[in-house]
Amino acid sequence: MWTTAPSAGGPFSMQLGATMGIYVQFPEFRTHVAIKEEVNSAIMGLLAGSQMAAHLLQLTEGSDHLLAEVFPQIPHIKRFNLTTPAARSILNSADSHLGAMAVPYVLGTHEDYLKACLKLVERYNGVNLGSANIKSAAQHEKLQDNSASNFDNVSLEQFHLVRKMRNCTIHAGGAVNKPLENHSSKMSPAARAGWKSLAGYDPSFTEGQGSVHFGYRETIATLAITKNLARQANLILQESISRESWGKILMLDLDESGPGIPKDPHMRIRKVRGYARHYYSALKLSSKEIETINAKY
């Protein structure tokens, strides 16, 4: 059983330093971590920036001038050419607009990572999973079907809640639909409690009543849930792919993404050992395994 629902209030970054030793740092995982960090920083920067801008506009309170007249040097300001009160009103509610864009962005990034994980299983286990066509609704389940381990049910329930909320926003103008109502009504107490801790409210939705809202708390919840699942996928892959295949991944990584493989035999084995220790320590490869990996590649 993997770690359950992420707790509120903790850091949501996936810095490599925090994941060394537990998770295999294969290329697709490193790329995902880097992208997730960039997405996280961009979202938080925009949220903070909107509030900073609203605060700055207090200095122009009472002015009848349009923003383009007050701040003519700001690029594209004419596209936001409003009076101070109108501009501040929009900026003060920017978190809901940013959330509506940020949550699908985060889910899309996570979907790309899961697709990469499924492709690794296909490549090294010799199976055809149809990874290119599997949507986020079934990616986690397909990955765990090809492993001896499963994702934590609480995390999956929370993920599918966000996914169905996203679908309502994109396909129904935010109106609550039946799939979201059904899912929220069947969530386990642990999943509901975890969501309430992160988003600040109980996830109860009824078709035709109210609407889906994505704000700061929902964005934070989505970042936390997908981070949790991305790490679980890493642990599942460690068991799904044979150690011999991980050896091939290590050598390809060293050769193609790393510093390359030296021709000198002594430098070569030293480089392989160092790369294994730095990026693949979670596998706990023995000296004999590393020597075999080096000899076979």
Side-chain angles (χ1 to χ4, degrees), residues 105-260:
Y105 187 16
V106 173
L107 292 180
T109 300
H110 185 71
E111 183 175 353
D112 287 342
Y113 167 68
L114 263 291
K115 185 178 294 185
C117 292
L118 288 166
K119 285 182 177 179
L120 285 175
V121 173
E122 284 185 321
R123 179 176 181 180
Y124 290 100
N125 289 2
V127 294
N128 183 9
L129 305 178
S131 60
N133 299 315
I134 301 174
K135 303 302 180 183
S136 58
Q139 285 181 319
H140 301 88
E141 291 75 9
K142 180 65 70 173
L143 183 59
Q144 69 182 15
D145 285 347
N146 288 269
S147 172
S149 300
N150 294 324
F151 286 95
D152 169 54
N153 285 331
V154 167
S155 301
L156 283 181
E157 287 182 68
Q158 294 170 343
F159 172 80
H160 288 305
L161 175 73
V162 176
R163 182 180 61 79
K164 291 177 186 291
M165 290 172 66
R166 184 272 314 269
N167 290 346
C168 289
T169 300
I170 294 176
H171 302 300
V176 177
N177 60 18
K178 198 64 177 178
L180 177 57
E181 177 186 344
N182 290 339
H183 182 81
S184 65
S185 67
K186 296 176 182 177
M187 288 179 70
S188 66
R192 302 182 78 88
W195 176 264
K196 187 173 182 178
S197 176
L198 287 167
Y201 58 88
D202 185 73
S204 296
F205 296 94
T206 303
E207 183 182 19
Q209 298 182 23
S211 60
V212 173
H213 170 81
F214 284 131
Y216 173 77
R217 295 290 295 268
E218 289 83 1
T219 302
I220 290 298
T222 305
L223 286 166
I225 292 163
T226 53
K227 180 191 75 170
N228 195 345
L229 286 169
R231 291 179 169 182
Q232 291 181 38
N234 188 299
L235 295 173
I236 288 174
L237 276 181
Q238 290 181 38
E239 296 184 356
S240 302
I241 298 175
S242 70
R243 294 177 73 79
E244 181 180 356
S245 294
W246 276 116
K248 293 178 183 178
I249 293 172
L250 186 161
M251 296 300 288
L252 283 172
D253 184 7
L254 172 60
D255 194 20
E256 297 175 0
S257 302

Side-chain angles (χ1 to χ4, degrees), residues 15 50 89 108-109 147-148 230:
Q15 296 176 355
S50 64
S89 177
T109 300
S147 172

